[in-house]
Amino acid sequence: MARELTHFIDGAHVKGTSGRFADVYNPATGEVQAKVPLASAAEVDAAVRNAAAAQPAWAAQNPQRRARVLLEFVRLLHRDMDKLAEALSREHGKTIPDAKGDVIRGLEVAEYCIGAPQLLKGEYTDGAGPGIDMYSMRQPLGVAAGITPFNFPAMIPMWKFCPAIACGNSFILKPSERDPSVPLMLAELMIEAGLPKGVLNVVNGDKEAVDAILDHEGISGVGFVGSTSIAHYVYSRGTAAGKRVQCFGGAKNHMIVMPDADLDQAVDALIGAGYGAAGERCMAISVAVPVGEETADRLMEKLAPRVEKLKIAPYTDGNDADFGPLVTREAQARVMGLINKGVEEGAKLVVDGRGFKMQGYENGFFVGACLFDHVTPEMDIYKTEIFGPVLSTVRADSYETALKLAMDHEYGNGTAIFTRDGDTARDFVNRVNVGMVGVNVPIPVPLAYHTFGGWKKSVFGDLNQHGPDAFRFYTRTKTVTSRWPSGIKEGAEFSIPTMK
Ligand code: NAD
């Protein structure tokens, strides 16, 4: 019998009461291993009231005390790393080393947030006028919420709740219904680390819970990560309800390979960035753009045999697998449909993984690695985010054509250039309209103390995730002008004060 998962409210696991559930699969076997409750608007409301009640006392603690909870949380994440990685792989399907990376990239944001006392320091002008001082404070929003995707079930929830909580907010996390166990475990660990009950709550659910969050008057800020159409929807509905909202969406990341690039390095990069986590990463490279026919021919010659040799396996098969299954049967069918479409559209399928079957795991959601050549910008496989182990190659006749491809694509999350020429790299970095750029680095995911965010249709909103922007997003500024001690002894002023 499938386990029944819970919500996590007021520091405890709480059973769902809506009567609605979603199946949580083991993607390697295709079996349903748990069912997750889908919250009703009434359940969301109860969680928000609880979070609102807990928030003032949490905000009143000095920032150093709040930071100490995160310090302890980091220690507990290390203690439970194996357990977390196993739970993550069991629901997501990624390999154990990759699952640990998922936890660590979240943990690093928790580490950054330990610096909250420094990051929350305001601005102060001594003597802004005669006897007048002026200062700006950063105050929490109140209750904030995070709606997160399936592909990083540890990292992205931590990107959301660590800075929000460090700033003195309480938080409602609505994780993906595909892999909700790790978010629940993270909430347990925060309580063990000393977080007061009610400050971090996990409400599982689908569109109904999301809509309830977006409409709820008690929530002041919402952070979202997921596909672009939902990101746009969440941004529109949340801002219409007067909330501060930041939404991070889909991607189609191009890697430009110049004729002077070290092709062995470029091939290594494309293999890891294109096929790692079965391509289910918003920073995956999904388009290779070799510049010049000769570069393209040499690249394909080296790339194809490497793609053929990729080892696909369930996470239980040891640590030498390159990637595992996709997250659901629907994802598998969608990716297979797009590969078929690419063939119909006339792209050349150089490595065809469609027939891949994992022995002993025939019902798992596996798709073999695919490599396309001669993809063109009109094709669906070029325009759409595939989110599977499929790399498309678009041949460009010049650097300018390659740059234009990346610039004309509707998404602008990440991109990379491989070259030995500093001048070309510099030009690319300056001109490309993409938020995160790698020079001889295929997945330029910024570290915790920089900020993460794309451009164009990869984002709705104006501040990035983690780094200093997160502290701006989860606080609002209050600016105080104070005059001591002269008061109004010289009489009231009736015209607006100016710098005379
Ligand atoms: P998704 O959009 O299906 O789901 C994201 C969240 O939205 C989930 O919590 C889900 O329950 C909720 N949701 C789904 N349908 C909804 C609806 N109709 N109304 C309201 N809420 C809804 O995304 P996913 O499949 O979980 O994740 C993959 C996507 O996320 C990819 O497009 C990937 O590029 C993107 N992503 C982006 C970033 C980034 O930082 N830009 C990072 C990771 C993933």
Side-chain angles (χ1 to χ4, degrees):
M1 251 264 290
R3 283 173 306 132
E4 183 177 322
L5 298 174
T6 58
H7 308 298
F8 190 87
I9 296 167
D10 203 24
H13 289 274
V14 175
K15 276 184 100 156
T17 56
S18 71
R20 293 196 309 124
F21 291 89
D23 289 334
V24 179
Y25 290 89
N26 177 338
T29 62
E31 286 160 1
V32 175
Q33 51 174 323
K35 46 186 197 159
V36 60
L38 302 175
S40 63
E43 287 173 291
V44 170
D45 180 54
V48 176
R49 283 169 193 277
N50 200 275
Q55 192 266 334
W58 176 241
Q61 293 211 10
N62 86 39
Q64 205 169 0
R65 284 184 196 280
R66 294 201 301 264
R68 281 183 193 145
V69 172
L70 289 165
L71 186 65
E72 176 62 4
F73 177 59
V74 168
R75 190 186 71 78
L76 297 176
L77 288 171
H78 283 295
R79 183 196 71 186
D80 286 3
M81 185 64 72
D82 290 340
K83 220 162 82 178
L84 288 161
E86 210 273 336
L88 198 158
S89 294
R90 197 172 57 225
E91 291 183 355
H92 177 284
K94 62 177 78 171
T95 64
I96 292 281
D98 204 24
K100 288 186 178 167
D102 192 328
V103 177
I104 288 167
R105 274 300 183 113
L107 177 157
E108 287 174 358
V109 170
E111 281 176 338
Y112 174 73
C113 294
I114 295 166
Q118 170 69 15
L119 290 156
L120 288 170
K121 281 197 308 203
E123 295 166 340
Y124 191 88
T125 303
D126 176 26
I132 296 177
D133 304 319
M134 194 175 282
Y135 57 97
S136 300
M137 312 191 281
R138 296 198 164 280
Q139 296 201 323
L141 303 177
V143 182
I147 301 158
T148 54
F150 81 84
N151 67 326
F152 282 98
M155 176 182 90
I156 295 179
M158 285 191 262
W159 284 10
K160 301 288 178 205
F161 73 68
C162 291
I165 285 174
C167 290
N169 298 284
S170 57
F171 200 80
I172 306 284
L173 172 66
K174 206 303 285 171
S176 170
E177 60 274 46
R178 314 255 175 266
D179 42 16
S181 288
V182 169
L184 289 166
M185 291 164 78
L186 296 175
E188 280 174 9
L189 290 181
M190 283 290 279
I191 294 290
E192 189 182 342
L195 188 73
K197 291 173 183 174
V199 176
L200 174 59
N201 305 278
V202 181
V203 176
N204 283 305
D206 57 1
K207 179 172 167 49
E208 187 172 335
V210 171
D211 288 350
I213 286 171
L214 297 175
D215 297 344
H216 202 294
E217 285 186 355
I219 295 177
S220 309
V222 177
F224 171 92
V225 180
S227 53
T228 282
S229 59
I230 311 293
H232 186 239
Y233 167 77
V234 167
Y235 186 74
S236 311
R237 188 159 172 163
T239 49
K243 299 184 197 323
R244 180 179 292 193
V245 186
Q246 56 171 192
C247 296
F248 299 88
K252 195 80 178 177
N253 305 318
H254 295 56
M255 182 173 129
I256 289 155
V257 183
M258 295 299 294
D260 66 350
D262 179 324
L263 280 194
D264 292 318
Q265 275 180 16
V267 167
D268 279 344
L270 284 169
I271 288 288
Y275 299 96
E280 289 176 322
R281 287 180 183 148
C282 70
M283 288 293 278
I285 292 290
S286 46
V287 186
V289 187
V291 173
E293 284 299 313
E294 201 200 318
T295 316
D297 291 342
R298 281 166 49 223
L299 184 74
M300 294 313 279
E301 215 170 275
K302 284 177 183 278
L303 194 53
R306 293 281 301 276
V307 176
E308 275 160 6
K309 279 200 214 90
L310 283 168
K311 185 173 174 209
I312 306 166
Y315 77 94
T316 42
D317 247 31
N319 286 348
D320 66 334
D322 294 309
F323 66 88
L326 295 182
V327 68
T328 56
R329 199 176 302 288
E330 292 73 42
Q332 182 191 36
R334 189 181 153 276
V335 170
M336 289 293 269
L338 278 160
I339 301 166
N340 291 337
K341 186 79 194 291
V343 174
E344 279 164 31
E345 284 175 318
K348 186 173 169 203
L349 189 53
V350 179
V351 180
D352 184 354
R354 287 175 296 177
F356 178 82
K357 280 270 171 288
M358 185 79 221
Q359 233 191 343
Y361 294 85
E362 285 76 6
N363 293 324
F365 311 139
F366 293 93
V367 173
C370 290
L371 176 63
F372 275 111
D373 196 1
H374 298 288
V375 174
T376 59
E378 307 74 50
M379 294 179 183
D380 258 11
I381 51 165
Y382 178 74
K383 290 190 259 186
T384 312
E385 180 183 42
I386 299 178
F387 230 53
V390 183
L391 181 65
S392 297
T393 309
V394 181
R395 296 174 172 230
D397 57 5
S398 67
Y399 164 69
E400 287 295 332
T401 314
L403 173 66
K404 190 168 175 339
L405 272 173
M407 295 198 49
D408 287 351
H409 204 285
E410 66 169 339
Y411 294 123
N413 215 39
T415 188
I417 188 164
F418 273 63
T419 180
R420 287 188 173 103
D421 181 49
D423 180 45
T424 312
R426 203 164 169 274
D427 185 77
F428 183 72
V429 165
N430 281 322
R431 286 167 66 198
V432 75
N433 55 359
V434 171
M436 293 171 282
V437 185
V439 176
N440 298 318
V441 172
I443 306 195
V445 176
L447 289 175
Y449 39 93
H450 287 264
T451 73
F452 181 109
W455 287 14
K456 298 187 275 182
K457 289 271 170 60
S458 296
V459 74
F460 302 90
D462 48 12
L463 285 169
N464 276 354
Q465 305 185 90
H466 65 65
D469 269 9
F471 281 75
R472 296 187 188 109
F473 183 77
Y474 289 112
T475 55
R476 57 189 142 205
T477 307
K478 183 180 281 175
T479 305
V480 181
T481 307
S482 99
R483 181 156 68 169
W484 297 101
S486 66
I488 54 166
K489 66 175 186 286
E490 278 146 29
E493 271 193 46
F494 292 97
S495 56
I496 188 159
T498 57
M499 291 295 300
K500 289 184 187 111

